[in-house]
């Protein structure tokens, strides 16, 4: 006599009755007419420009830094899209770079042959490695004339991402819409206390019965440091084509351009005035702006009316 399989044992009646309250139905798959377009060119996901209908440069300084970096490293025909919200990006942060698999550094022949068009999405910190794979890696001087210039560039980066960024955050308009307050993925610049040289003290002292909330911000100090930074930047550029006397653009030039462009589009007169009164900075920004714009084109889906 063949033994019954344990799987063939029936469930107790009470348990069968309970499961009958939650019947399982199966349905045929629903085919969607919308298909993802294959990734054939590097595509940079950014925050929208100030004028999406007539511009390709992001209104977000972090995104603009990487746009300038790609362009000044010699990349061209890079596709842009700003129809993806920040919660669709890696780590909920833009920009991201969507590249074909065949362009990945070290991609095997098998990977290149089996490229299905889905591509690979890269966070911002992996963009330099991908660029090196396309145009070749920089030498140990990173494009600067000598080691002293390379070391000096670090100080300028700290100044830009410290004093200049703090002033930009201070005058950055913020959205107070109800939906924006409810959203877990709010796009905003780094908090002011994270970029100032000396973090401001909390609004309430240790002896206060109320918990610490908010920060004291010395607006005069931030604006004074900003004015000194822009003045120093203008003096250091002088009549050079690229900062620190480099013969070709460097990462510092990409950073400087991003901040100057955002400042010149700021609604705050105090910020704009410090740049516009220095002819060499304005002329330099306009020249680099043309080069950066020429490296990008908008994804076709955003051009459709």
């Amino acid at each position: 006599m063949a033994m019954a399989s344990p799987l063939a044992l029936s469930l107790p009646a009470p348990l069968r009755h309970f499961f009958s309250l939650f019947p399982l139905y199966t349905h045929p798959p629903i085919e969607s007419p919308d298909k993802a377009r294959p990734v054939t060119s590097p595509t940079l996901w950014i925050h929208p420009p100030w004028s999406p209908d007539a511009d390709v440069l992001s209104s977000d300084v972090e995104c603009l830094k990487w746009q300038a970096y790609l362009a000044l490293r010699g990349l061209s025909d890079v596709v842009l899209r700003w129809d993806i919200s920040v919660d669709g990006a890696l780590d909920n942060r833009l920009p991201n770079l969507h590249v074909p698999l065949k362009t990945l550094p070290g991609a095997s022949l098998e990977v290149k042959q089996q490229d299905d068009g889905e591509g690979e999405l890269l966070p911002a910190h992996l963009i330099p490695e991908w660029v090196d794979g396309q145009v070749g890696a920089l030498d140990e001087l990173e494009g600067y004339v000598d080691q002293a210039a390379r070391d000096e560039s670090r100080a300028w980066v700290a100044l830009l991402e410290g004093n200049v960024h703090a002033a930009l955050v201070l005058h950055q308009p913020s959205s107070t819409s109800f939906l924006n307050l409810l959203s877990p993925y709010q796009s905003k610049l780094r908090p002011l206390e994270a970029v100032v040289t000396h973090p401001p003290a909390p609004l309430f002292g240790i002896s206060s019965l109320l918990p610490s909330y908010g920060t004291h911000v010395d607006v005069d100090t931030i604006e004074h440091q900003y004015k000194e930074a822009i003045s120093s930047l203008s003096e250091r550029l002088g009549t050079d084509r690229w900062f620190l006397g480099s013969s070709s653009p460097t990462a510092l030039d990409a950073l400087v351009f991003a901040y100057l462009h955002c400042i010149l589009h700021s609604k705050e007169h105090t910020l704009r005035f410090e740049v516009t009164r220095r002819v060499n900075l304005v002329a330099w920004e306009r020249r680099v702006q043309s080069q950066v714009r020429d490296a990008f084109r908008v994804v076709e889906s955003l051009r459709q009316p």
Side-chain angles (χ1 to χ4, degrees):
M1 179 182 297
M3 297 182 61
S5 171
L7 297 177
L9 296 177
S10 61
L11 295 173
L15 194 56
R16 286 202 309 273
H17 175 70
F18 176 77
F19 284 151
S20 68
L21 300 177
F22 306 96
L24 179 64
Y25 299 101
T26 59
H27 300 275
I30 300 176
E31 299 294 337
S32 173
D34 298 324
K35 302 293 182 182
R37 297 184 179 181
V39 180
T40 58
S41 300
T43 304
L44 190 66
W45 299 2
I46 62 172
H47 286 285
W50 282 279
S51 301
D53 295 334
D55 202 358
V56 294
L57 300 182
S58 176
S59 59
D60 176 74
V61 68
E62 299 294 336
C63 292
L64 191 54
K65 290 175 187 178
W66 290 106
Q67 280 190 264
Y69 179 83
L70 289 171
L72 297 183
R73 282 295 304 273
L75 274 294
S76 61
D77 198 36
V78 179
V79 179
L80 290 177
R81 63 182 307 173
W82 50 79
D83 57 333
I84 299 177
S85 62
V86 68
D87 53 324
L90 295 175
D91 299 325
N92 304 317
R93 296 186 64 181
L94 292 172
N96 285 171
L97 183 63
H98 199 186
V99 300
L101 288 178
K102 62 183 180 181
T103 67
L104 289 175
S108 65
L109 180 61
E110 181 181 2
V111 169
K112 293 181 179 180
Q113 291 176 343
Q114 296 180 355
D115 191 352
D116 56 3
E118 290 188 2
E120 183 78 10
L121 192 60
L122 304 177
H125 69 272
L126 292 182
I127 292 178
E129 179 182 355
W130 179 84
V131 173
D132 287 345
Q134 310 309 305
V135 300
L138 297 170
D139 58 19
E140 61 179 7
L141 293 179
E142 302 172 12
Y144 299 103
V145 293
D146 51 33
Q147 185 172 349
R150 186 192 64 179
D151 294 341
E152 183 184 349
S153 72
R154 306 295 193 266
W156 286 107
V157 169
L159 186 70
L160 289 165
E161 296 195 333
N163 295 354
V164 176
H165 194 95
L168 200 59
V169 173
L170 181 65
H171 297 291
Q172 181 77 6
S174 58
S175 174
T176 56
S177 67
F178 181 68
L179 291 178
N180 190 54
L181 293 175
L182 293 179
S183 173
Y185 307 115
Q186 297 185 33
S187 174
K188 54 185 178 181
L189 296 173
R190 283 173 286 159
L192 187 59
E193 58 268 25
V195 295
V196 293
T197 305
H198 302 289
L203 287 176
F204 299 100
I206 298 177
S207 60
S208 173
L209 296 177
L210 297 174
S212 295
Y213 178 76
T215 53
H216 284 294
V217 176
D218 191 338
V219 175
D220 292 337
T221 298
I222 291 176
E223 291 185 346
H224 176 70
Q225 291 176 341
Y226 165 76
K227 293 177 181 179
E228 287 188 334
I230 296 300
S231 175
S232 299
L233 201 65
S234 176
E235 291 179 6
R236 188 63 178 90
L237 174 62
T239 58
D240 290 342
R241 181 174 178 81
W242 302 109
F243 273 89
L244 308 187
S246 300
S247 58
S248 58
T250 64
L252 177 61
D253 293 289
L255 193 66
V256 173
F257 167 76
Y259 279 109
L260 290 182
H261 187 77
C262 288
I263 290 169
L264 290 172
H265 281 77
S266 172
K267 295 181 179 180
E268 177 57 40
H269 173 73
T270 303
L271 293 181
R272 295 196 317 275
F273 177 71
E274 290 303 317
V275 175
T276 55
R277 66 193 288 249
R278 292 174 170 86
V279 179
N280 64 334
L281 291 183
V282 175
W284 185 89
E285 188 275 338
R286 287 180 178 175
R287 178 176 61 81
V288 177
Q289 180 185 151
S290 176
Q291 184 173 344
V292 174
R293 287 182 186 278
D294 291 342
F296 297 95
R297 61 184 174 89
V298 182
V299 68
E300 290 300 325
S301 61
L302 291 179
R303 289 190 179 276
Q304 297 175 357

